[in-house]
Amino acid sequence: EAGVVQSPRYKIIEKKQPVAFWCNPISGHNTLYWYRQNLGQGPELLIRYENEEAVDDSQLPKDRFSAERLKGVDSTLKIQPAELGDSAVYLCASSGDGFFLEQYFGPGTRLTVT
Amino acid sequence: ELKVEQNPLFLSMQEGKNYTIYCNYSTTSDRLYWYRQDPGKSLESLFVLLSNGAVKQEGRLMASLDTKARLSTLHITAAVHDLSATYFCAVGNTGNQFYFGTGTSLTVIP
């Protein structure tokens, strides 16, 4: 079974530039999460999707971040414009139905804003 | 907001020794997860604990959950170098929100 796929794996951009991250969850997983992980810290949830609907985006900085999940499968997270403080690893995770809600994480995208 | 605290944050231990990592959380939760993260890699699920008194073991790692004390432990038995990694606990609530601890960086010294 293929895992969660993310691209790109690494991205270096200058501040004020836009950037986008892509995630393909495990097949059949209806729930998709985007997390941001700063160096030396645990992941922090940015947004959670149930199928196509964003059900929890309370931690998403909406002035510069946006996300979409078309057709309830792939998802894209965008930052525009990027700031120095956005440098972090962006993790995508997915989970299936059921009480366990065990999340499976992708390899992440390491973003460096210079 | 649910708070999750882990201790210690850093742990250096010799091979063959035993140690315990603690995870405390601030409000009622019905599920707790342990993950492992190797440097530069993503998170790997280790355990899912769903009920008070739950205990799960895999190899040299054993996790337990005490929902009354809002405490989970990850016990390492006879550590080996391959266990060197950062370990995170994460707590889920009824709203399907997940909160991660700050992680425990474990280094096993030969």
Side-chain angles (χ1 to χ4, degrees):
Chain A
E1 177 182 270
V4 177
V5 179
Q6 290 187 249
S7 68
R9 293 293 311 277
Y10 305 91
K11 190 74 175 179
I12 301 174
I13 61 171
E14 295 183 345
K15 62 181 180 181
K16 300 184 181 180
Q17 294 300 306
V19 65
F21 314 124
W22 176 80
C23 173
N24 179 246
I26 292 174
S27 178
H29 280 190
N30 297 324
T31 306
L32 184 145
Y33 311 79
W34 282 103
Y35 288 90
R36 176 169 59 190
Q37 185 177 24
N38 291 310
L39 188 64
Q41 298 183 19
E44 295 178 309
L45 181 69
L46 292 174
I47 190 168
R48 175 169 62 96
Y49 281 93
E50 296 287 348
N51 298 303
E52 296 179 352
E53 183 182 1
V55 296
D56 185 355
D57 63 355
S58 58
Q59 301 301 314
L60 189 71
K62 298 182 181 64
D63 57 337
R64 297 183 301 107
F65 286 64
S66 65
E68 61 181 9
R69 190 182 185 197
L70 299 177
K71 300 182 180 179
V73 181
D74 295 0
S75 178
T76 302
L77 178 69
K78 298 178 182 178
I79 308 175
Q80 183 171 10
E83 297 179 352
L84 295 176
D86 295 331
S87 295
V89 175
Y90 291 82
L91 294 165
C92 179
S94 69
S95 65
D97 296 328
F99 185 71
F100 290 92
L101 291 180
E102 188 172 2
Q103 296 177 62
Y104 296 86
F105 284 82
T109 297
R110 182 176 297 276
L111 174 66
T112 302
V113 182
T114 63
Chain B
E1 180 180 311
L2 195 154
K3 300 289 186 184
V4 183
E5 293 183 349
Q6 286 183 238
N7 69 83
L9 298 183
F10 299 93
L11 175 57
S12 181
M13 56 190 299
Q14 287 188 316
E15 279 189 334
K17 299 293 186 181
N18 304 330
Y19 209 83
T20 300
I21 299 171
Y22 297 87
C23 173
N24 291 88
Y25 52 97
S26 59
T27 61
T28 302
S29 172
D30 57 3
R31 65 200 77 178
L32 188 134
Y33 306 82
W34 283 98
Y35 290 88
R36 168 182 172 146
Q37 187 175 38
D38 292 291
K41 301 291 181 64
S42 193
L43 283 80
E44 173 191 355
S45 178
L46 295 175
F47 300 107
V48 180
L49 303 169
L50 299 177
S51 61
N52 186 42
V55 177
K56 291 196 173 181
Q57 183 165 4
E58 181 72 33
R60 300 174 187 274
L61 300 178
M62 183 174 71
S64 66
L65 178 62
D66 182 345
T67 57
K68 294 180 180 178
R70 297 174 186 165
L71 169 69
S72 179
T73 61
L74 181 66
H75 186 74
I76 303 156
T77 302
V80 293
H81 180 69
D82 286 350
L83 291 179
S84 296
T86 298
Y87 293 85
F88 291 95
C89 65
V91 179
N93 63 17
T94 53
N96 292 338
Q97 295 170 313
F98 294 90
Y99 299 89
F100 281 79
T102 51
T104 296
S105 177
L106 170 66
T107 303
V108 180
I109 303 169

